[in-house]
Amino acid sequence: MRLRDALRKARIEAADRTGVVVELRDAEVARLEILNEALDPLFAEIPDGIEMFDRGVSQGDTPRLWVDMVAHVAMGRDKRTYRFVQDTRHGRVVLAEAHDIPVIVKAVTDYVARRMIEREHAMVTTWPPLVPTPVKKPRSRFWPFLFGIVVGIAGLFALALLVSVRGH
């Protein structure tokens, strides 16, 4: 086998492997799109004034279905398991993991409900009223300056008097 033939064969094998990877990623995206469509009724029920959920499929190295800024659904290692995770201060927390779409839809529904209740509590919490602090009138700088001049002159006068008394 000549080198040219070996290179050609290696290129064909690499293209086949790349094609398999692309097909797997496309399959992940397709599964996430199906889940996204299954979530449509849930997100249709959310009132228009609540804009804390930004749902969409990102097609990066790891395709994800984002529910909001901190929670998303990604496919598991076997590419058939849906994994619903939330990013927290302490790392990622798996909220649900299942092969079935209805299980993930229920987990996302529970998550959305909890987030909406958290929002309500944050909106209702009353803070003590802010009491404006009285603004103090800036002090005049003239009188301290004048006082400094008078003290300086008195000090110089006392020094001159002391020197003249010792000199005699």
Side-chain angles (χ1 to χ4, degrees):
M1 180 184 266
R2 294 182 3 202
L3 179 60
R4 180 185 299 168
D5 295 333
L7 285 173
R8 183 172 177 266
K9 183 179 176 186
R11 284 188 184 120
I12 290 171
E13 289 172 358
D16 288 343
R17 282 192 304 268
T18 303
V20 169
V21 170
V22 169
E23 287 175 12
L24 284 175
R25 200 166 90 231
D26 288 345
E28 283 183 74
V29 171
R31 288 180 183 271
L32 291 173
E33 289 291 344
I34 292 169
L35 176 61
N36 194 17
E37 290 173 8
L39 290 171
D40 282 342
L42 166 66
F43 283 93
E45 292 181 34
I46 296 175
D48 291 335
I50 299 177
E51 297 177 355
M52 56 193 279
F53 301 104
D54 190 19
R55 185 173 53 128
V57 176
S58 65
Q59 297 187 11
D61 290 337
T62 304
R64 295 181 175 136
L65 170 61
W66 290 93
V67 176
D68 64 4
M69 297 273 241
V70 294
H72 65 271
V73 179
M75 301 306 296
R77 292 184 188 268
D78 65 356
K79 308 301 182 200
R80 290 189 178 102
T81 304
Y82 296 97
R83 181 176 289 157
F84 181 39
V85 298
Q86 179 182 19
D87 294 327
T88 66
R89 282 181 256 172
H90 308 291
R92 282 199 175 141
V93 177
V94 177
L95 301 176
E97 190 169 16
H99 291 282
D100 300 327
I101 288 178
V103 174
I104 300 299
V105 169
K106 178 165 180 0
V108 172
T109 303
D110 293 343
Y111 173 79
V112 167
R114 284 193 308 271
R115 289 295 305 259
M116 289 176 67
I117 295 299
E118 287 174 8
R119 179 183 180 273
E120 285 178 11
H121 286 285
M123 299 293 282
V124 171
T125 302
T126 57
W127 295 93
L130 294 176
V131 179
T133 57
V135 179
K136 295 181 179 178
K137 183 180 172 186
R139 293 180 149 207
S140 170
R141 295 182 184 185
F142 174 74
W143 295 112
F145 178 73
L146 185 65
F147 179 74
I149 289 177
V150 169
V151 169
I153 291 173
L156 287 175
F157 181 73
L159 182 65
L161 185 63
L162 185 66
V163 169
S164 68
V165 169
R166 284 190 175 199
H168 288 308

